[in-house]
Structures are given as structure tokens and as C-alpha cells.
Amino acid sequence: YSTTLTTSGGASPYTYALTTGTLPAGLSLNTSTGVVSGTPTAAGTSNFTITATDSSTATHATLATSYSIVVSLATQATLTASAAATTINTNGTTTLSTSGGSGGGAVTYAVASGSCTISGTTLTAPASAGTCTVTATKAANGIYDAATSAAITITVNTTPTPTLTFATQNTASVT
């Protein structure tokens, strides 16, 4: 963000001072040029007054002007959720991850449908076959709104029953 305050009348150069209120966090006033600039670090409304003073030697002319700047949260880049495996067996696990998003907000996962459970980034399948739908949310921080990913579906298959075979014939004869 950058804007230059303009002043006319009196004798230049002018000096500028923040006389009441505060600028949004991350912005500053150059008192020689009247430039308010920087990168806002938090959303909110800031109301403040800047006073311009001319450089006449006898009596300095001043002008105080009130300003308001509204800083809105930015929209995060697209957040994408993924799973190390999208098909797992009953009682199996897979690791969830995300890519994209913006800022340093924490990522959490939620089961939108199905009987899977999530602990941290580990999804555990239930004891029965079916599907689980999962979304990821990256929390808002001082700069970005929260973002939620598109849902991903994990298919849960019945764990196959092992088949045992004998290497030798299963009958015996006794004489």
C-alpha cells in the first residue's frame, strides 16, 4: 500500500505528523514527503489525523485532516487436500496433507461424511467398508481469511481374508 498526501498553499516544503490515532499495523508515515506506505499486517479500521505544516518562517500554517483506512483480509490461494492413499483397508490408515493456501494459519482436517477418524494428519478407517469424505481448513490469520479445501474421498475396502494353503498333502496313512 502506498499513497502520497497532497498539500497546497503556504510555503513548501511541508512536514507531516500523525497527531491523533494510529495508522494500520505495518504502515508508516514519511514525515518529509507525506507518503503513507507499507504492507498492512492486520485487518481492521484505523482512524487517525495527520497534520501538515508549511515551512514559512514567521507563522507556520497547519492543516489537520482526518483519515480512515479499512484493511480487509485477503482471500487465500486455493487450498488442496490430498491423501497418501485414497483407497485403504478397514482399520487401515493414510496420511493427509495440503498444498496451497496462504499465510501461516494452522491446517485442520474434518470428516464431512463416513465413519473414519482423524488425529492430526492421520486418517483411520473404520472396521466396515465404505467411504469417508474429508476436508481441510487453513485458519485465518491477521492477513488472510480462512480457506477450506474441496472434499476428497477415501474408499475403505474390506480387509481381504488370508488364504492358507499347505505345501504338503493333507492326508496321511498309518500302517
Side-chain angles (χ1 to χ4, degrees), residues 74-127:
T75 300
Q76 290 192 38
T78 300
L79 181 67
T80 303
S82 60
T86 56
T87 300
I88 58 177
N89 290 330
T90 54
N91 298 313
T93 63
T94 189
T95 301
L96 303 172
S97 62
T98 59
S99 61
S102 304
V107 174
T108 56
Y109 299 92
V111 176
S113 67
S115 299
C116 295
T117 59
I118 298 174
S119 177
T121 60
T122 302
L123 177 137
T124 302

Coordinates of all heavy atoms in Angstrom, one line a residue, residues 74-127:
A74 N -7.3 -10.7 3.1 CA -7.2 -11.2 1.7 C -7.7 -12.6 1.6 O -7.7 -13.4 2.5 CB -5.7 -11.1 1.2
T75 N -8.1 -13.0 0.4 CA -8.5 -14.4 0.1 C -7.3 -15.2 -0.1 O -6.4 -14.8 -0.8 CB -9.4 -14.4 -1.2 OG1 -10.5 -13.6 -0.9 CG2 -9.8 -15.8 -1.5
Q76 N -7.2 -16.4 0.5 CA -6.1 -17.3 0.4 C -6.1 -17.9 -1.0 O -7.1 -18.0 -1.7 CB -6.2 -18.4 1.4 CG -5.9 -18.0 2.8 CD -5.7 -19.2 3.7 OE1 -5.1 -20.2 3.3 NE2 -6.2 -19.1 4.9
A77 N -4.9 -18.3 -1.5 CA -4.8 -19.1 -2.7 C -5.5 -20.4 -2.4 O -5.8 -20.8 -1.3 CB -3.3 -19.4 -3.0
T78 N -5.9 -21.1 -3.5 CA -6.6 -22.3 -3.4 C -5.9 -23.3 -2.5 O -4.7 -23.6 -2.7 CB -6.8 -22.9 -4.8 OG1 -7.6 -22.0 -5.6 CG2 -7.6 -24.2 -4.8
L79 N -6.7 -23.9 -1.6 CA -6.2 -24.9 -0.7 C -6.6 -26.3 -1.2 O -7.8 -26.5 -1.5 CB -6.7 -24.7 0.7 CG -6.3 -25.7 1.8 CD1 -4.8 -25.5 2.1 CD2 -7.0 -25.5 3.1
T80 N -5.6 -27.2 -1.4 CA -5.9 -28.5 -1.9 C -5.5 -29.6 -0.9 O -4.4 -29.6 -0.4 CB -5.1 -28.8 -3.2 OG1 -5.5 -27.8 -4.2 CG2 -5.4 -30.2 -3.8
A81 N -6.5 -30.5 -0.6 CA -6.2 -31.6 0.3 C -5.9 -32.8 -0.5 O -6.4 -33.0 -1.6 CB -7.4 -31.8 1.2
S82 N -5.0 -33.7 0.1 CA -4.7 -34.9 -0.6 C -4.4 -36.0 0.5 O -4.2 -35.7 1.7 CB -3.5 -34.8 -1.5 OG -2.4 -34.4 -0.8
A83 N -4.4 -37.2 0.1 CA -4.2 -38.4 1.0 C -3.1 -39.2 0.3 O -3.1 -39.4 -0.9 CB -5.4 -39.2 1.2
A84 N -2.2 -39.8 1.1 CA -1.1 -40.6 0.6 C -1.7 -41.8 -0.2 O -1.2 -42.2 -1.2 CB -0.2 -41.1 1.7
A85 N -2.9 -42.3 0.3 CA -3.6 -43.4 -0.4 C -5.1 -43.0 -0.3 O -5.6 -42.7 0.8 CB -3.3 -44.7 0.3
T86 N -5.8 -43.1 -1.4 CA -7.2 -42.8 -1.4 C -8.0 -44.1 -1.3 O -9.3 -44.0 -1.3 CB -7.6 -42.0 -2.6 OG1 -7.2 -42.7 -3.8 CG2 -7.0 -40.6 -2.6
T87 N -7.4 -45.2 -1.3 CA -8.1 -46.5 -1.1 C -7.3 -47.2 0.0 O -6.1 -47.4 -0.1 CB -8.1 -47.4 -2.3 OG1 -8.8 -46.6 -3.3 CG2 -8.9 -48.7 -2.1
I88 N -8.0 -47.6 1.1 CA -7.3 -48.3 2.2 C -8.2 -49.4 2.7 O -9.4 -49.4 2.4 CB -7.0 -47.3 3.4 CG1 -8.2 -46.6 3.9 CG2 -5.9 -46.3 3.0 CD1 -7.9 -45.7 5.2
N89 N -7.7 -50.3 3.5 CA -8.5 -51.4 4.0 C -9.1 -51.0 5.3 O -8.7 -50.0 6.0 CB -7.6 -52.6 4.2 CG -7.2 -53.2 2.9 OD1 -7.9 -53.2 1.9 ND2 -6.0 -53.8 2.9
T90 N -10.1 -51.7 5.8 CA -10.7 -51.5 7.0 C -9.6 -51.5 8.1 O -8.7 -52.2 8.1 CB -11.8 -52.6 7.4 OG1 -11.2 -53.9 7.3 CG2 -13.0 -52.5 6.4
N91 N -9.8 -50.6 9.1 CA -8.9 -50.3 10.2 C -7.5 -49.9 9.7 O -6.6 -49.8 10.5 CB -8.7 -51.6 11.1 CG -10.0 -52.0 11.7 OD1 -10.7 -51.1 12.2 ND2 -10.4 -53.3 11.6
G92 N -7.4 -49.5 8.4 CA -6.1 -49.0 7.9 C -6.0 -47.5 8.1 O -6.9 -46.9 8.6
T93 N -4.8 -47.0 7.8 CA -4.6 -45.6 7.9 C -4.0 -45.0 6.6 O -3.4 -45.7 5.8 CB -3.6 -45.3 9.1 OG1 -2.3 -45.8 8.8 CG2 -4.1 -45.8 10.4
T94 N -4.1 -43.7 6.5 CA -3.4 -42.9 5.4 C -3.1 -41.6 6.0 O -3.7 -41.1 7.0 CB -4.3 -42.8 4.2 OG1 -3.5 -42.3 3.1 CG2 -5.5 -42.0 4.4
T95 N -2.1 -40.9 5.4 CA -1.7 -39.6 5.9 C -2.3 -38.5 5.0 O -2.2 -38.6 3.7 CB -0.1 -39.5 5.8 OG1 0.4 -40.5 6.7 CG2 0.4 -38.2 6.3
L96 N -2.8 -37.5 5.6 CA -3.4 -36.4 4.9 C -2.4 -35.3 4.8 O -1.6 -35.1 5.7 CB -4.7 -35.9 5.7 CG -5.7 -37.0 5.9 CD1 -6.8 -36.4 6.9 CD2 -6.4 -37.4 4.6
S97 N -2.5 -34.5 3.7 CA -1.7 -33.3 3.6 C -2.4 -32.3 2.7 O -3.5 -32.5 2.2 CB -0.3 -33.7 2.9 OG -0.6 -34.2 1.6
T98 N -1.8 -31.1 2.7 CA -2.4 -30.0 1.9 C -1.3 -29.3 1.1 O -0.1 -29.4 1.5 CB -3.1 -28.9 2.8 OG1 -2.1 -28.4 3.7 CG2 -4.3 -29.5 3.5
S99 N -1.7 -28.6 0.1 CA -0.9 -27.7 -0.7 C -1.7 -26.5 -1.0 O -2.9 -26.5 -1.0 CB -0.3 -28.4 -1.9 OG -1.4 -28.7 -2.8
G100 N -0.9 -25.4 -1.2 CA -1.6 -24.1 -1.5 C -2.0 -23.4 -0.2 O -1.4 -23.6 0.8
G101 N -3.0 -22.6 -0.3 CA -3.4 -21.7 0.8 C -2.4 -20.6 0.9 O -1.5 -20.5 0.1
S102 N -2.6 -19.7 1.8 CA -1.7 -18.6 2.0 C -1.6 -18.3 3.5 O -2.5 -18.6 4.3 CB -2.3 -17.3 1.4 OG -2.5 -17.6 0.0
G103 N -0.5 -17.7 3.9 CA -0.3 -17.3 5.3 C 0.1 -18.5 6.2 O 0.3 -19.6 5.7
G104 N 0.2 -18.2 7.4 CA 0.7 -19.1 8.4 C -0.4 -19.8 9.3 O -0.1 -20.3 10.3
G105 N -1.6 -19.7 8.8 CA -2.7 -20.3 9.6 C -2.6 -21.8 9.7 O -2.1 -22.5 8.8
A106 N -3.0 -22.3 10.9 CA -2.9 -23.8 11.1 C -3.9 -24.5 10.2 O -5.0 -24.0 9.9 CB -3.2 -24.1 12.6
V107 N -3.5 -25.8 9.8 CA -4.4 -26.6 9.0 C -5.0 -27.7 9.9 O -4.4 -28.3 10.7 CB -3.6 -27.3 7.9 CG1 -4.5 -28.3 7.1 CG2 -3.0 -26.2 6.9
T108 N -6.3 -27.8 9.7 CA -7.1 -28.9 10.4 C -7.9 -29.7 9.4 O -8.2 -29.1 8.3 CB -8.0 -28.3 11.5 OG1 -8.9 -27.4 10.9 CG2 -7.3 -27.6 12.6
Y109 N -8.2 -30.9 9.8 CA -8.9 -31.8 8.9 C -10.2 -32.2 9.6 O -10.2 -32.3 10.8 CB -8.1 -33.0 8.5 CG -6.8 -32.7 7.8 CD1 -5.6 -32.5 8.5 CD2 -6.8 -32.6 6.4 CE1 -4.4 -32.2 7.9 CE2 -5.6 -32.3 5.8 CZ -4.4 -32.1 6.5 OH -3.3 -31.8 5.9
A110 N -11.3 -32.4 8.8 CA -12.6 -32.8 9.3 C -13.2 -33.9 8.4 O -13.1 -33.8 7.2 CB -13.5 -31.6 9.5
V111 N -13.9 -34.8 9.0 CA -14.6 -35.8 8.3 C -16.0 -35.2 8.0 O -16.7 -34.9 8.9 CB -14.7 -37.1 9.1 CG1 -15.6 -38.1 8.4 CG2 -13.4 -37.7 9.4
A112 N -16.3 -35.0 6.7 CA -17.6 -34.5 6.3 C -18.6 -35.6 6.3 O -19.8 -35.3 6.5 CB -17.4 -33.8 5.0
S113 N -18.2 -36.8 5.9 CA -19.1 -37.9 5.9 C -18.4 -39.2 6.1 O -17.2 -39.3 5.7 CB -20.0 -38.0 4.7 OG -19.2 -38.2 3.5
G114 N -19.0 -40.2 6.6 CA -18.4 -41.5 6.8 C -18.0 -41.7 8.3 O -18.1 -40.8 9.1
S115 N -17.4 -42.9 8.6 CA -17.1 -43.2 9.9 C -15.6 -43.2 10.2 O -15.1 -43.8 11.2 CB -17.6 -44.6 10.3 OG -19.0 -44.6 10.2
C116 N -14.8 -42.6 9.4 CA -13.3 -42.5 9.6 C -13.1 -41.6 10.8 O -13.9 -40.7 11.1 CB -12.6 -42.0 8.4 SG -12.7 -43.1 7.0
T117 N -11.9 -41.7 11.4 CA -11.5 -40.7 12.4 C -10.2 -40.1 12.0 O -9.4 -40.7 11.2 CB -11.3 -41.4 13.8 OG1 -10.3 -42.4 13.6 CG2 -12.6 -42.0 14.3
I118 N -9.9 -38.9 12.5 CA -8.7 -38.2 12.2 C -8.0 -37.7 13.5 O -8.6 -37.2 14.4 CB -9.0 -36.9 11.3 CG1 -9.6 -37.4 10.0 CG2 -7.7 -36.1 11.1 CD1 -10.1 -36.2 9.1
S119 N -6.7 -38.0 13.5 CA -5.9 -37.5 14.6 C -4.7 -36.8 13.9 O -3.9 -37.5 13.3 CB -5.4 -38.6 15.5 OG -4.6 -38.1 16.5
G120 N -4.6 -35.5 14.1 CA -3.5 -34.8 13.4 C -3.7 -34.9 11.9 O -4.7 -34.5 11.3
T121 N -2.7 -35.5 11.2 CA -2.8 -35.8 9.8 C -3.0 -37.2 9.4 O -2.9 -37.6 8.3 CB -1.5 -35.3 9.1 OG1 -0.4 -36.0 9.6 CG2 -1.3 -33.8 9.3
T122 N -3.4 -38.0 10.4 CA -3.6 -39.5 10.2 C -5.1 -39.8 10.2 O -5.8 -39.5 11.2 CB -2.9 -40.3 11.3 OG1 -1.5 -40.0 11.2 CG2 -3.1 -41.8 11.0
L123 N -5.6 -40.3 9.1 CA -6.9 -40.8 9.0 C -7.0 -42.3 9.2 O -6.2 -43.0 8.6 CB -7.5 -40.5 7.6 CG -8.9 -40.9 7.3 CD1 -9.7 -39.9 6.6 CD2 -8.9 -42.2 6.5
T124 N -7.9 -42.7 10.1 CA -8.0 -44.2 10.4 C -9.4 -44.6 9.9 O -10.4 -44.0 10.2 CB -7.9 -44.4 11.9 OG1 -6.6 -44.0 12.3 CG2 -8.0 -45.9 12.2
A125 N -9.4 -45.7 9.1 CA -10.6 -46.2 8.6 C -11.4 -47.0 9.7 O -10.8 -47.6 10.6 CB -10.3 -47.2 7.4
P126 N -12.7 -47.1 9.5 CA -13.5 -47.9 10.4 C -13.3 -49.4 10.1 O -12.6 -49.8 9.2 CB -14.9 -47.4 10.2 CG -14.9 -47.1 8.7 CD -13.5 -46.5 8.5
A127 N -14.0 -50.2 10.9 CA -14.0 -51.7 10.8 C -14.9 -52.2 9.7 O -15.0 -53.4 9.4 CB -14.3 -52.4 12.1

